[in-house]
Amino acid sequence: MNCLVFSLSPSPSVFVIVLLLFVQVPSSASNSSLFTDCSNQFVCGDISTGFPFWGAGRPSACGIPELELKCENDIARMSINQVAYRVLEIKHEFKILRIAREDYSAGLCPPQLENSTFNPKVFDPVIGYTNLTFIYGCVVTPIVGIPLPGLFTCKINDTDGQNGYIQGGAAGPGDCYGSVFVPVPFTNSPLIWNVTDLEELLKEGFEVRWKFDSAACEECNRSSGVCGINNVTNQTTCYCPDQSSGSKTCALPGMCLNFS
Ligand SMILES: *[C@@H]1O[C@H](CO)[C@@H](O)[C@H](O)[C@H]1NC(C)=O
Ligand SMILES: *[C@@H]1O[C@H](CO)[C@@H](O)[C@H](O)[C@H]1NC(C)=O
Ligand SMILES: *[C@@H]1O[C@H](CO)[C@@H](O)[C@H](O)[C@H]1NC(C)=O
Ligand SMILES: *[C@@H]1O[C@H](CO)[C@@H](O)[C@H](O)[C@H]1NC(C)=O
Ligand SMILES: *[C@@H]1O[C@H](CO)[C@@H](O)[C@H](O)[C@H]1NC(C)=O
Ligand SMILES: *[C@@H]1O[C@H](CO)[C@@H](O)[C@H](O)[C@H]1NC(C)=O
Ligand SMILES: *[C@@H]1O[C@H](CO)[C@@H](O)[C@H](O)[C@H]1NC(C)=O
Ligand SMILES: *[C@@H]1O[C@H](CO)[C@@H](O)[C@H](O)[C@H]1NC(C)=O
């Protein structure tokens, strides 16, 4: 309804519409800046992205709440369920995000123990990845008599040299102090039990798929709008160059009603 109306035979209603346009401008100025703001790409190092992500120059209305990105020293980061990740790659066509845990970037002993969990409403696991569990603070060697590859030591609960070991799957700590599971690329190679190789593998990260369906956004984009999220309804909305928002697409000038 905010499209420009041209008519060869002006009628009083056209003047009313034109008047309404001018009256609406101040009250909807913020929507206009959302069009501008959400047209900004998030650019950080090698990462460049738009919807459904927000952060930096993109206000929260430009993306879904869980997908906030930050840029620090050309490194894109995000936090998912209290765990800080480095964002290594975003594959828009597959809705895939490759991320690596920040706390494991310097070794296998994170300052705090947190599992890599993902809200199933927001993320799906990606085929080709499997969980690996790090078990910390084992007072006794876990399985007596069987030599365990992948043993390491960490300072845990203020005590140096606590034993830790690696186990497949998403496991609990058993008799040990705590455990952390992290997805890693699925591999049947025993190399994964080599702690040095494992540290490298963790730096390469793992993939998760965001579930958000942006089909509505493509329509919005085709109508020269930019997609965003209405923070009251949590639905996608289209911010338009003419300052309107709230519907799925922007009105195209050629599609205006003829009031004559
Ligand atoms: C890791 O384990 C968690 C909890 O059991 C599960 O929800 C998730 O799908 C697993 N991830 C992978 C990549 O298998
Ligand atoms: C952590 O250490 C404190 C004192 O150093 C001890 O009282 C506590 O039991 C330890 N916690 C665990 C779970 O081992
Ligand atoms: C990680 O998940 C396992 C299995 O659900 C749980 O036993 C363990 O306590 C969790 N670790 C942390 C740090 O929450
Ligand atoms: C682990 O792998 C690294 C490099 O791939 C190698 O230098 C090292 O000797 C291996 N360690 C063990 C215990 O196999
Ligand atoms: C939106 O449309 C523009 C051209 O108008 C295009 O450059 C851009 O890649 C599109 N964005 C998405 C997410 O499809
Ligand atoms: C929604 O966004 C507007 C501005 O973008 C903000 O003023 C308002 O507090 C937000 N409301 C909620 C519930 O987040
Ligand atoms: C919208 O999303 C936020 C954050 O995920 C949530 O707290 C809120 O309850 C949601 N609102 C609706 C109406 O679904
Ligand atoms: C501006 O946005 C708000 C909510 O984001 C919406 O209620 C309002 O209708 C929009 N204004 C116009 C002119 O579309």
Side-chain angles (χ1 to χ4, degrees):
M1 79 175 181
N2 276 345
C3 58
L4 291 172
V5 177
F6 294 103
S7 171
L8 292 173
S9 52
S11 65
S13 64
V14 169
F15 292 114
V16 171
I17 301 276
V18 169
L19 196 66
L20 275 174
L21 275 175
F22 282 97
V23 168
Q24 279 185 351
V25 168
S27 69
S28 59
S30 64
N31 297 12
S32 164
S33 69
L34 279 178
F35 171 77
T36 311
D37 290 346
C38 298
S39 299
N40 293 333
Q41 291 281 101
F42 172 91
V43 180
C44 184
D46 294 337
I47 303 291
S48 172
T49 189
F51 191 85
F53 297 90
W54 62 280
R58 297 171 53 79
S60 62
C62 303
I64 77 170
E66 291 84 356
L67 298 182
E68 179 185 8
L69 297 173
K70 292 192 170 123
C71 187
E72 289 153 23
N73 303 321
D74 275 352
I75 295 169
R77 297 192 158 98
M78 73 188 295
S79 175
I80 305 173
N81 287 2
Q82 280 99 55
V83 178
Y85 294 93
R86 192 175 285 222
V87 178
L88 302 172
E89 196 179 4
I90 298 178
K91 302 184 202 167
H92 269 275
E93 63 275 43
F94 304 114
K95 300 192 208 164
I96 282 178
L97 197 58
R98 189 158 60 85
I99 54 180
R101 285 184 63 134
E102 285 280 359
D103 54 353
Y104 280 84
S105 63
L108 300 186
C109 305
Q112 253 134 43
L113 305 184
E114 293 282 359
N115 288 320
S116 278
T117 57
F118 297 89
N119 180 349
K121 285 184 182 152
V122 183
F123 296 103
D124 270 335
V126 169
I127 290 170
Y129 293 86
T130 184
N131 284 307
L132 198 64
T133 301
F134 299 92
I135 298 181
Y136 293 96
C138 303
V139 177
V140 195
T141 311
I143 307 167
V144 182
I146 300 169
L148 270 172
L151 270 177
F152 56 89
T153 57
C154 286
K155 181 180 188 176
I156 289 293
N157 193 19
D158 279 334
T159 313
D160 279 319
Q162 296 279 294
N163 282 315
Y165 69 103
I166 299 158
Q167 184 177 329
D175 290 336
C176 301
Y177 176 75
S179 67
V180 172
F181 62 77
V182 183
V184 292
F186 183 82
T187 165
N188 38 28
S189 150
L191 277 181
I192 200 166
W193 304 106
N194 175 327
V195 166
T196 316
D197 289 344
L198 187 53
E199 284 174 1
E200 284 310 307
L201 202 64
L202 288 171
K203 282 184 199 158
E204 286 163 30
F206 60 92
E207 295 179 323
V208 287
R209 183 181 288 108
W210 70 86
K211 294 178 90 161
F212 200 81
D213 181 13
S214 330
C217 287
E218 283 152 28
E219 256 184 86
C220 167
N221 194 358
R222 274 196 294 275
S223 70
S224 57
V226 292
C227 214
I229 293 285
N230 178 315
N231 68 359
V232 177
T233 63
N234 287 351
Q235 300 291 304
T236 49
T237 186
C238 197
Y239 304 119
C240 301
D242 69 353
Q243 305 168 12
S244 66
S245 76
S247 59
K248 298 253 181 239
T249 58
C250 299
L252 295 168
M255 293 171 69
C256 289
L257 295 175
N258 187 348
F259 284 93
S260 55

